Every structure is written in C-alpha cells, then in structure tokens.
Amino acid sequence: MPRRVDVPTLVDQVLANQRAGIARAVTLVESSLPADRPLARQLLAALLPHSGKAVRVGLTGVPGAGKSTFIDAMGCRLIAQGHKVAVLAVDPSSSRTGGSILGDRTRMGKLAESDNAYIRPSPSGGHLGGVARATREAMIIMEAAGYDIVLVETVGVGQSEVAVSGMVDTFLLLSLTRAGDQLQGIKRGILELADVIAVNKADGDNAGEARVTARDLSIAMKLINDESTGRRTPVLTCSALTKTGLDEVWQAVLDHREWVDKTFGLEKRRADQQVDWMWSQIEGSVIDSLRSTPELLKLGNQLEADVESSSVSALEASSEFLAAYARAVPGFAWAPDLSSTRQ
Ligand code: GDP
C-alpha cells in the first residue's frame, strides 16, 4: 500500500526535532521508490535553509578499531557540553549478515539513551552512490533538526571513505596499535584522506605500543601529506574505553576545521563539495542511462563480447554504441532513479 507523505507536516516535525518525524523524513530520502524522489526533493528544499551549521566529521576504522566505543564516549561528552549529536553511517556492503552494523544503536548504548542524540544505521543495500546520497540527505535533515555535530561512520575499506570525505569537514581515522597493523591493513588511500589520526586502545599494557604506533604513523604522514598545504596530519593516542585523550582528539578535529576555514574558507570548501557532488550525480545518472533500455543493454553486452574476441575494435564499438545512444536519447525518461546511481 502506498505511504502517504505530507511534506509540510514532515518539515514542521523535523524543525521541531520530533523523533518520529525525523525518522520518517530519513526513510523518505532513503527510499528508492521513484515516486518518493520528488517528495524527498521537496522536503530537502524546505530544510536546506536550516542546514549547514553543524560540525561534520567522518570517522573510519576497521571493525574492532573501537569506532562505536569511541562514538559512544565522545558523543556523551559532547552532549554533556551542550551539543546535540547525530550519528549516521555509510556502509554499502551493509554488513547485516555477520559483522557489526554501522550506526547501530545497540553498539552505542549510552549515547542511544540520550534525548540529544540521534543514531541512524546505514541505509541497506544498493550502490555506494545511492547509500552516500541518502546519508548526505539525512545529514541535511539532522542539521535542520538542530543537531550541531554530525558524525558519519564508515568502515575503512576505501570507496566509502572517499564518498564520506566529500560530505564532511574533517575526516578522523581511528587506528589500532602496531601489533594490529598487518591485520588492519590501513590503505594508503585512507591515510591520504585522514585529517586527524587517533591510535585507539592506548590503555593498560597497550599504552606504550600505542605511542610507538602514533610516532611511526606521524613519520609516515610526512611522506603522505601534501607539502604545499604546509599541514601535517596530527597523530594522537586515546582510549575510548578509559576515556583518556578524547578531549585532545576532539580539539584536533576542531583545529583542523579552523585550519580549513582559514586556508580555503569552510563555506568555499563546502561549496566545492557540492559542485563535485553535482557532477557525480550527473555522471552516475548518465552512466545508468547508458543501460536504461533493453536495446542499449543488449547492444552493450554484444559489443563487449565483440571487443573481447577482437572482432571489433574498442574505438569502433564505442562509436557504434554512442550512435545508438544518441538515437535513443529523445526517448529517455530523464528522471532516472537517483538511488541507483554510482559514484
Ligand atoms: P568497532 O567495530 O570499530 O565499532 O569497534 P568496537 O567499538 O565495537 O570495539 C571493539 C572491541 O574493542 C570491543 O570489545 C571494545 O570494548 C574494545 N575497545 C574499544 N575501544 C577500546 C579502548 O580504547 N581500549 C580497549 N582496551 N578496548 C577497546
């Protein structure tokens, strides 16, 4: 049965920070039903002027690095300082079968109890582009609802981090100590994205090891950081369990944000992110449209086989495909389902 969504009511509920309304609004932007997209756009257009004021932080780390423990402890601390904290997640693999679910309330027990926290797990399934879009739009809802800190959690495998770094002000990598290095296999690409690194579990017998790891990582960052910016990624140690070093990590996040503002201008950086986002949405939709009719799909598959068997050159095949695409363009319904776009 189709759901009836009254957008103006939903807008009022979000702005009044009513949890049920916020949940419905997020469900709407997560929906992949084509009929829901115009409603979602209407909702976002109304909420957009009320958004943009939050500190947006991405948080990554391999499973077991302590992300949920960290978010729980840090979130409660920030709320005690008077903030309102939203936790979102991007996990296209949607590890609902086995492994932990990112942004799962039960993983952040104390924070989940607070009236000033809103925790939303990753939208399930689908392409990264669709999941990232939904999270980006959920962030607008959170900000409009008055959350002034938005944490976006992601599991450190690569693609999702690139997507998340395009929607946050600061990207924080939670790392394990050296002993776990081979296991955690932090990819260079993730180190490149990190604005702040915190070596977690710096407690008990592990404290010394954590300091050594932090020093090693700090040296590694010398090679990875872009020298022209003159900024070296700070590497700190902390313990989410004993809650030591958390204030310093948060201060490093705020310092980075201030550095971005001074160096590039925060608004300019966010505007650039929007431009990148616009193009990735356009590109994703155009790429999807290349396969959006049975004829094009068939032709694409046929040409792929021909090129593979060397019976047609790549150049000829691409021309043939593009010619067929150009003929088909007037027939396209140019309202592709954005939820299925790639990034
Ligand atoms: P996630 O998969 O990254 O969310 O990791 P979790 O937060 O679930 O933590 C994985 C395990 O490490 C749990 O058993 C936590 O209790 C433990 N843990 C998390 N942070 C710390 C820490 O700072 N010190 C110690 N000793 N254990 C921690």
Side-chain angles (χ1 to χ4, degrees):
M1 208 160 75
R3 274 178 298 127
R4 292 187 72 94
V5 178
D6 179 43
V7 173
T9 304
L10 214 47
V11 169
D12 289 344
Q13 289 173 338
V14 170
L15 293 177
N17 191 248
Q18 286 174 16
R19 297 186 90 87
I22 296 172
R24 272 199 299 278
V26 178
T27 302
L28 178 63
V29 300
E30 284 179 355
S31 167
S32 54
L33 293 176
D36 281 341
R37 286 311 293 160
L39 296 173
R41 275 196 283 270
Q42 211 182 320
L43 172 81
L44 291 165
L47 295 180
L48 208 57
H50 303 276
S51 73
K53 292 182 206 75
V55 173
R56 302 168 176 175
V57 179
L59 178 78
T60 192
V62 294
K67 293 182 297 300
S68 44
T69 313
F70 179 89
I71 293 173
D72 201 22
M74 185 67 94
C76 290
R77 236 173 162 81
L78 293 166
I79 284 171
Q81 290 169 16
H83 295 289
K84 287 166 83 79
V85 178
V87 182
L88 304 171
V90 171
D91 180 15
S93 67
S94 188
S95 38
R96 269 152 213 268
T97 51
S100 53
I101 303 167
L102 292 190
D104 180 10
R105 295 170 60 82
T106 59
R107 290 169 60 232
M108 303 159 192
K110 274 189 92 177
L111 187 62
E113 281 171 17
S114 170
D115 286 342
N116 292 314
Y118 194 95
I119 302 173
R120 181 84 181 186
S122 176
S124 61
H127 298 302
L128 170 60
V131 171
R133 177 196 46 75
T135 304
R136 202 177 262 267
E137 294 176 352
M139 179 144 71
I140 293 170
I141 296 170
M142 296 302 148
E143 292 184 348
Y147 295 93
D148 63 337
I149 293 173
V150 183
L151 302 175
V152 186
E153 190 190 5
T154 173
V155 66
V157 287
Q159 285 298 90
S160 315
E161 286 65 37
V162 175
V164 171
S165 75
M167 63 177 97
V168 296
D169 306 324
T170 299
F171 205 74
L172 171 63
L173 168 65
L174 212 57
S175 153
L176 290 167
T177 52
R178 209 160 46 150
D181 239 12
Q182 286 83 356
L183 288 178
Q184 62 181 315
I186 304 172
K187 297 200 175 71
R188 189 187 157 100
I190 292 180
L191 289 178
E192 279 168 1
L193 293 173
D195 298 308
V196 177
I197 299 176
V199 180
N200 191 34
K201 308 197 185 182
D203 47 49
D205 293 346
N206 210 27
E209 189 72 24
R211 273 194 299 275
V212 174
T213 305
R215 200 192 56 209
D216 290 352
L217 271 172
S218 185
I219 293 167
M221 292 315 287
K222 204 168 152 185
L223 300 171
I224 286 173
N225 281 152
D226 177 358
E227 262 180 45
S228 66
T229 66
R231 181 179 185 272
R232 174 96 75 91
T233 302
V235 185
L236 296 93
T237 58
C238 69
S239 168
L241 202 64
T242 64
K243 303 182 176 55
T244 44
L246 296 184
D247 291 340
E248 288 77 2
V249 172
W250 189 251
Q251 191 54 51
V253 165
L254 296 180
D255 288 348
H256 168 264
R257 195 167 181 268
E258 205 183 303
W259 175 82
V260 169
D261 198 23
K262 272 207 194 105
T263 315
F264 311 105
L266 191 61
E267 291 314 311
K268 169 81 173 82
R269 159 76 72 94
R270 286 180 169 186
D272 289 348
Q273 287 177 331
Q274 290 301 310
V275 171
D276 288 347
W277 178 241
M278 176 189 84
W279 281 114
S280 84
Q281 287 293 291
I282 293 171
E283 283 165 17
S285 298
V286 170
I287 286 176
D288 277 357
S289 79
L290 293 177
R291 300 181 188 84
S292 62
T293 71
E295 294 75 26
L296 286 171
L297 195 63
K298 199 169 147 213
L299 179 64
N301 289 339
Q302 179 58 49
L303 289 171
E304 243 182 70
D306 292 347
V307 172
E308 221 170 73
S309 66
S310 306
S311 59
V312 177
S313 74
L315 201 62
E316 278 173 88
S318 56
S319 304
E320 188 178 335
F321 186 88
L322 289 172
Y325 180 67
R327 282 193 299 277
V329 164
F332 282 152
W334 278 107
D337 169 15
L338 292 179
S339 69
S340 68
T341 55
R342 266 160 275 275
Q343 205 185 34

